[in-house]
Amino acid sequence: MKLPLYKIAAVVFVILLLASMIEVGIAMERGKQEGRELQGWQLKWVNAAIGEGVYPPRTESGWIDVSPSDDLPEVSGVMTGVWFRTSLPPLGSNSAALLNKVYGSDIRAYVDDTLVYDSNGRGSRGGGKLLIPLTAPQVGKELYIYSGGTGSRLGLEGEIKVGSYAKLLNVYLKENLLDLMIGGSLIFMAVVLGVCSVFLKRELFVNGILLMLIMLSSGVLMIYYSPYLEIVMENKSRWLELLFDAALFTLLPAFTYFFEKLFGSGLFKAVARLRKLQIGYSLFCVGLSVLNIALSYRLDVLYRIFTVDVVGILMIIQFLLLLGLAIRYSLRGNVEAIIFTTGFALFALASLSELSLYYMSGEKYQLYWWKWGIVGFLVSLIVIVGRRFARNHEQVVEYSKELEKFNNDLQRSEKMEIISELAASVAHEVRNPLQVTRGFLQIIGGAQGSKEREYLQLAISELDRASHIINDFLTFAKPAMDKVECLDVGEELRHVAGILLPLAQLQGSRIEIHTETGLYVKFNSSKFKQALINIIKNGIEALQDNGLVTITAQKSGAYVIISVRDTGEGMTASEIARLGEPYYSNKTKGTGLGLMVTFRLIEAMKGTIEFQSTKGKGTEARVKLPAVKP
């Protein structure tokens, strides 16, 4: 059986995620052994507005000793930059310094007076790793690092390692590979899901496209936050920032709309109103971005307020509202809401905690755990959409079976209608000549010898058999009951069993009856007996020596269920499917009219008949008739 594409994508995503986590774990373990950690350095606050951030300061005044374990120092007064310096140990010809976290938009590094790195104003305001290539310094040379900008956080945080450029680059890349792997996996799954969604019906198509947008946007956000880009692109360009904003403005309304499609608009249509607000605000931010570009980014400060501060507040409102509604639906027993709540709780709690810490720390807190929250949440969304895909497939299969059954019933009904009309016309035309012929044969037989009388008796017997067949035709063609009465099912079944008991004994078999008391149905007594005799007689004729026919009757809801089970040779599924067809019979001399008439009689009284059989073990016929009160 082929797996759906969304399942294949989910498996690939999990494999990639596990592989990347193992790889990162190995890289981090190796990273502890790579390079040489510098034990401490000095810092000096400067005012870049008067040119103090251009070259490394040579005066000894103002330097403060710090260590890797110290917290990031607060910006001092009106200072807009900070210098760090440390003495470099002897290094090889191809060396580098790996800085754990560097804050500031303007980052530069010098070995003595030689510039070895310049961020060109594209440093990381939120703090990021930095790998600085070094020339082969002689003993006593110093490394100067400048951090400047308008942010509230400037400087170095954490350790500095120096060593082989190739080894430190390998460590740097692998330690930051996880973000890239997760983001790439999400983008891959989004593409697969988008392709799959094209072939789905409208409801599932909308859910699939929304989930695709959520996963695609989340993948872009994770890749943007990855320090991997710092090395690959040296610095993040403006178009990457715009791509990040576009992903964020797509993610928020798509996520809200996805929730709305799953669980509805919520109390007072709060979810629908939030979705409209987010779409409007996203369009506003896009327009503001276009205007900022047209004005050569002179609206950066205003743009940051709307796209960072206001968006953060909207995210907190969104998370609280949707999480509250999801918990409410979960308490009502909605399975999908429980799955959603579990995944969303991981994401919302991680995001709310980090957003709160971010704003309470004056935007100093480094966001990290949100990416793991969103991975857990996306897994829950995949499970929900997968359940809906599976449910849709099951419905299609069920509808196909129902359609096939309907077509079979329709064909059967059309066949029965044609045969009914044919049987009625033939039976009426043939019955009278047969009766006349029988009468004359009886008269002639009285005047003949013994041998001639034997032949005439055989002729009369065959005429009686033909008359019986014609009566079956008439019953099939006109199953309407002459007189419908309230019948005691148990009494009628005992009467039928008494009639057929000699036939069973001739074959060395038995008949057992087990019926509840007080079972009544509306039926014509003779037609009821005729229908049951046909069923039980077929069961007896299928028996071998010491066989058994068990007749049971019981009430089930508003119906009486009559079961006739034999221990005969049984039938295959294809043989059961043909029961009731005209002229189909397993017996050598059978015409198939008996069961055809039985089907017709039971259907005329709003009942049903079903057969279950196993080859070599026997057959059970279940007749279901509406129960009545006496």
Side-chain angles (χ1 to χ4, degrees):
M1 184 178 66
K2 291 184 178 180
L3 286 174
L5 285 178
Y6 77 89
K7 287 188 177 181
I8 296 174
V11 171
V12 172
F13 172 66
V14 173
I15 292 174
L16 290 176
L17 183 59
L18 291 176
S20 61
M21 290 177 68
I22 294 172
E23 183 73 12
V24 168
I26 295 173
M28 291 180 69
E29 186 64 28
R30 288 177 179 173
K32 294 177 182 179
Q33 305 172 2
E34 298 292 349
R36 176 179 175 181
E37 183 178 345
L38 301 182
Q39 297 302 314
W41 49 84
Q42 295 177 311
L43 70 82
K44 181 177 183 178
W45 291 104
V46 294
N47 189 347
I50 58 176
E52 293 180 340
V54 179
Y55 295 104
R58 289 305 179 183
T59 61
E60 293 298 322
S61 61
W63 290 98
I64 304 171
D65 292 329
V66 291
S67 67
S69 60
D70 292 340
D71 293 332
L72 189 70
E74 296 289 336
V75 176
S76 177
V78 294
M79 301 302 181
T80 56
V82 60
W83 282 97
F84 290 81
R85 73 177 182 182
T86 184
S87 297
L88 289 171
L91 298 172
S93 59
N94 191 13
S95 304
L98 179 59
L99 284 61
N100 185 55
K101 278 187 181 180
V102 184
Y103 295 86
S105 58
D106 185 15
I107 308 294
R108 279 175 280 117
Y110 295 81
V111 175
D112 283 345
D113 293 326
T114 305
L115 179 67
V116 294
Y117 176 82
D118 190 349
S119 69
N120 295 314
R122 294 295 178 185
S124 176
R125 293 180 179 179
K129 288 183 180 295
L130 185 61
L131 187 65
I132 299 174
L134 300 174
T135 56
Q138 302 298 319
V139 177
K141 286 201 173 184
E142 291 185 310
L143 172 67
Y144 289 87
I145 299 171
Y146 174 76
S147 171
T150 58
S152 58
R153 307 193 82 187
L154 297 174
L156 305 180
E157 188 176 59
E159 63 186 16
I160 296 179
K161 282 189 175 183
V162 293
S164 167
Y165 180 86
K167 291 181 178 180
L168 289 178
L169 176 63
N170 186 48
V171 172
Y172 176 85
L173 294 179
K174 287 187 176 180
E175 282 185 354
N176 297 289
L177 188 62
L178 185 58
D179 292 345
L180 199 65
M181 292 291 288
I182 296 175
S185 299
L186 291 177
I187 293 174
F188 167 75
M189 287 188 63
V191 172
V192 173
L193 187 59
V195 173
C196 294
S197 300
V198 173
F199 303 98
L200 300 176
K201 64 180 184 180
R202 185 179 181 278
E203 182 66 23
L204 288 177
F205 169 78
V206 174
N207 288 339
I209 292 299
L210 289 173
L211 183 55
M212 180 201 73
L213 293 175
I214 293 171
M215 296 177 68
L216 184 64
S217 302
S218 301
V220 172
L221 294 181
M222 286 191 179
I223 290 176
Y224 178 85
Y225 269 110
S226 173
Y228 201 94
L229 296 181
E230 302 279 353
I231 291 294
V232 176
M233 304 186 67
E234 293 187 357
N235 52 70
K236 295 177 182 176
S237 59
R238 279 284 186 174
W239 70 267
L240 277 177
E241 294 180 1
L242 295 175
L243 184 61
F244 170 85
D245 291 341
L248 184 63
F249 299 148
T250 301
L251 173 63
L252 298 181
F255 174 42
T256 304
Y257 193 26
F258 183 80
F259 184 93
E260 183 183 359
K261 295 295 292 182
L262 288 179
F263 306 112
S265 300
L267 294 173
F268 308 109
K269 297 184 177 180
V271 179
R273 291 175 179 174
L274 176 62
R275 184 246 307 166
K276 293 176 181 177
L277 172 64
Q278 287 177 323
I279 292 175
Y281 191 78
S282 295
L283 293 176
F284 166 76
C285 289
V286 170
L288 184 60
S289 174
V290 172
L291 181 61
N292 189 31
I293 294 172
L295 296 176
S296 301
Y297 302 103
R298 281 177 284 182
L299 297 179
D300 271 351
V301 176
L302 181 63
Y303 182 73
R304 178 178 173 80
I305 292 173
F306 281 106
T307 59
V308 177
D309 301 334
V310 178
V311 167
I313 296 172
L314 287 177
M315 288 174 65
I316 292 175
I317 294 173
Q318 177 184 18
F319 293 157
L320 290 175
L321 173 63
L322 299 188
L323 181 59
L325 288 175
I327 293 173
R328 183 170 179 263
Y329 296 139
S330 299
L331 295 176
R332 294 180 177 179
N334 188 319
V335 177
E336 291 185 350
I338 294 173
I339 298 172
F340 182 93
T341 302
T342 303
F344 187 49
L346 294 174
F347 174 50
L349 291 176
S351 300
L352 283 172
S353 300
E354 291 205 307
L355 283 172
S356 300
L357 290 173
Y358 178 76
Y359 287 113
M360 286 190 297
S361 65
E363 302 183 6
K364 297 179 181 179
Y365 178 78
Q366 180 71 19
L367 301 177
Y368 175 78
W369 289 105
W370 69 274
K371 65 185 72 174
W372 295 106
I374 203 168
V375 168
F377 176 54
L378 288 175
V379 169
S380 71
L381 296 186
I382 293 170
V383 171
I384 292 174
V385 174
R387 280 171 53 88
R388 297 209 167 191
F389 283 173
R391 189 184 308 154
N392 181 64
H393 175 70
E394 291 171 358
Q395 288 178 346
V396 170
V397 173
E398 184 179 347
Y399 292 157
S400 298
K401 290 180 179 179
E402 291 180 357
L403 181 59
E404 182 180 2
K405 183 177 181 299
F406 175 78
N407 288 333
N408 292 338
D409 292 344
L410 182 61
Q411 292 176 5
R412 177 187 175 88
S413 177
E414 290 175 349
K415 289 180 181 179
M416 294 299 103
E417 191 66 30
I418 294 171
I419 295 171
S420 175
E421 294 177 1
L422 178 63
S425 60
V426 171
H428 281 96
E429 295 299 325
V430 177
R431 193 176 192 184
N432 289 335
L434 284 178
Q435 292 296 331
V436 173
T437 303
R438 187 179 189 282
F440 280 119
L441 287 175
Q442 285 179 319
I443 294 172
I444 295 172
Q448 299 296 325
S450 60
K451 196 66 176 176
E452 287 81 0
R453 280 199 300 274
E454 181 182 347
Y455 293 150
L456 288 172
Q457 190 60 40
L458 286 173
I460 291 172
S461 175
E462 289 302 306
L463 287 174
D464 286 341
R465 193 168 72 87
S467 179
H468 179 72
I469 292 174
I470 289 172
N471 285 334
D472 282 342
F473 266 121
L474 284 173
T475 302
F476 172 76
K478 296 181 179 180
M481 313 300 171
D482 298 329
K483 180 183 177 183
V484 176
E485 53 189 326
C486 186
L487 302 180
D488 185 326
V489 174
E491 183 179 335
E492 296 292 327
L493 289 177
R494 283 188 288 272
H495 189 187
V496 170
I499 294 173
L500 295 174
L501 184 60
L503 177 62
Q505 290 175 342
L506 283 175
Q507 296 190 198
S509 302
R510 297 174 293 121
I511 298 178
E512 291 184 359
I513 301 180
H514 306 282
T515 66
E516 295 181 2
T517 59
L519 301 179
Y520 295 90
V521 296
K522 283 221 168 184
F523 222 111
N524 178 276
S525 180
S526 62
K527 303 294 185 185
F528 182 85
K529 291 184 178 69
Q530 181 181 2
L532 268 297
I533 286 173
N534 286 336
I535 297 172
I536 299 171
K537 185 170 177 287
N538 285 341
I540 293 172
E541 291 174 345
L543 296 174
Q544 307 296 329
D545 292 339
N546 297 319
L548 173 65
V549 174
T550 305
I551 306 170
T552 61
Q554 59 185 357
K555 191 171 183 181
S556 176
Y559 293 91
V560 172
I561 308 296
I562 302 171
S563 169
V564 179
R565 182 192 298 271
D566 66 66
T567 58
E569 59 187 13
M571 294 179 288
T572 63
S574 59
E575 290 173 332
I576 291 177
R578 296 193 63 187
L579 291 178
E581 289 185 8
Y583 310 116
Y584 174 76
S585 176
N586 289 331
K587 294 179 288 186
T588 305
K589 295 184 179 181
T591 62
L593 293 176
L595 267 185
M596 189 173 71
V597 169
T598 299
F599 272 85
R600 189 76 164 172
L601 290 173
I602 293 172
E603 288 173 0
M605 297 310 296
K606 311 298 182 186
T608 60
I609 179 171
E610 296 178 352
F611 287 86
Q612 294 179 351
S613 184
T614 303
K615 197 68 176 176
K617 294 186 178 180
T619 303
E620 180 186 11
R622 291 173 60 86
V623 178
K624 184 178 179 181
L625 295 169
V628 297
K629 293 182 180 179

